[in-house]
Amino acid sequence: MVEMNFKVDAFEGPLDLLLHLIGQLEVDIYDIPMAEITDQYMEFVHTMQEMELDVASEYLVMAATLLAIKSKMLLPKQELEIDYDTLVEEEDPRDALVEKLMEYKRFKEAAKELKEKEAERSFYFSKPPMDLTEYDDGSNVAELDVSLNDMLSAFNKMLRRKKLNKPLHTRITSQEISIDDRMDSVMGKLQKQQNHRLRFDELFEEQTKEQLVVTFLAILELMKRKLVEIEQVASFADLYVLGKGEERS
């Protein structure tokens, strides 16, 4: 005896089969020819039964649904007197089925796209990050060149945070602020730090705009005299002031 194998197209469910049949007929999913679709669907189910294949209950439920819709559409419509004041558009018996088909189609297309992304991602190999701190002696840090524009930008951000761009409602008093005194103050703060290093905005503790401007000018003068330098370890990162020389006397 020669064993014979029969192959039937595999579908993920009755909705998948219906989409396949609609695609073969090349008809609008919103205007399904129920008689033809139902006949082809029942033919597929009968073929599976004749080949002694297990037919899932969901296929039989859909078969009953299609037959019910087909019957409703074949029933003659009663001619009634039309009351235009209470006229309600008659519901198409196919509407619920079309809604289910469209929802299933959207999920199927989304699943296909995710499957493609999964296949594409399978060509990439990733590795968890390694802790390289034991190899870092601090000498290979690639510091970025900090320009005057970078410092001005940091200064303006600091001003906005302190809300000093708005006029102050206080009495104006004459007070002279020495740049030299402020340079000594900046160097003194840096010398008190263990690594002689402070974040840029930590040097601006004053409350008036005039004092903040003088502090900024003092830092520029210290840079000019090569007593301090500005560090930035990454783009858009905080600026740091590093003391290089001895405290001014």
Side-chain angles (χ1 to χ4, degrees):
M1 293 291 293
V2 179
E3 182 178 353
M4 300 184 65
N5 296 321
F6 296 91
K7 182 179 182 302
V8 177
D9 291 337
F11 296 97
E12 297 178 4
L15 292 176
D16 198 37
L17 172 57
L18 282 176
L19 285 178
H20 172 73
L21 296 177
I22 292 171
Q24 280 191 329
L25 291 176
E26 298 181 352
V27 295
D28 186 358
I29 195 171
Y30 291 101
D31 189 20
I32 303 174
M34 291 307 303
E36 193 168 358
I37 286 293
T38 301
D39 291 344
Q40 291 195 17
Y41 183 92
M42 296 305 299
E43 182 181 349
F44 178 86
V45 173
H46 290 153
T47 301
M48 293 180 67
Q49 291 174 333
E50 290 174 3
M51 297 176 65
E52 297 184 356
L53 299 176
D54 291 334
V55 180
S57 59
E58 56 182 345
Y59 282 92
L60 300 179
V61 171
M62 179 58 70
T65 303
L66 292 176
L67 290 172
I69 296 174
K70 178 182 176 181
S71 300
K72 287 182 180 179
M73 297 188 69
L74 292 176
L75 289 175
K77 296 182 180 180
Q78 297 181 355
E79 295 184 1
L80 300 175
E81 294 184 3
I82 300 177
D83 183 357
Y84 291 99
D85 294 331
T86 60
L87 181 62
V88 178
E89 185 177 354
E90 184 179 358
E91 183 180 357
D92 191 323
R94 299 172 295 181
D95 287 347
L97 177 61
V98 170
E99 185 177 350
K100 288 183 180 179
L101 284 171
M102 291 303 299
E103 184 177 8
Y104 177 78
K105 185 178 180 182
R106 286 193 294 268
F107 278 103
K108 186 175 181 179
E109 291 173 351
K112 180 182 178 182
E113 184 177 351
L114 291 174
K115 191 69 177 178
E116 292 174 353
K117 290 184 180 295
E118 179 188 12
E120 181 182 353
R121 184 65 181 83
S122 65
F123 291 101
Y124 295 88
F125 297 91
S126 58
K127 181 180 179 182
M130 296 177 59
D131 185 7
L132 302 177
T133 53
E134 59 178 308
Y135 304 105
D136 183 16
D137 57 2
S139 60
N140 295 323
V141 177
E143 297 174 0
L144 303 179
D145 292 332
V146 180
S147 66
L148 179 59
N149 287 335
D150 295 326
M151 294 184 63
L152 287 172
S153 177
F155 182 69
N156 285 328
K157 289 179 182 178
M158 184 267 300
L159 285 179
R160 287 196 296 269
R161 283 197 298 268
K162 291 179 176 291
K163 297 181 180 179
L164 291 175
N165 285 333
K166 296 181 180 179
L168 296 176
H169 299 284
T170 57
R171 290 185 303 171
I172 299 176
T173 58
S174 177
Q175 182 181 7
E176 293 185 2
I177 306 172
S178 169
I179 293 180
D180 286 338
D181 290 342
R182 192 48 49 87
M183 290 168 63
D184 289 335
S185 175
V186 169
M187 292 299 297
K189 290 179 180 179
L190 293 173
Q191 292 295 330
K192 291 178 182 179
Q193 303 301 313
Q194 185 177 2
N195 55 358
H196 297 177
R197 188 170 179 264
L198 271 176
R199 199 172 64 243
F200 180 76
D201 57 357
E202 291 178 341
L203 292 171
F204 296 85
E205 298 177 353
E206 298 77 6
Q207 296 301 314
T208 66
K209 193 170 185 178
E210 291 79 7
Q211 290 174 327
L212 295 174
V213 171
V214 171
T215 300
F216 182 71
L217 295 176
I219 294 174
L220 293 180
E221 183 62 27
L222 289 171
M223 291 175 60
K224 180 180 178 181
R225 300 186 187 186
K226 300 188 182 302
L227 294 175
V228 301
E229 62 181 15
I230 307 297
E231 293 180 337
Q232 187 181 36
V233 297
S235 297
F236 309 109
D238 290 332
L239 300 183
Y240 283 85
V241 181
L242 175 65
K244 297 175 60 178
E246 298 295 332
E247 184 176 1
R248 297 173 73 249
S249 57

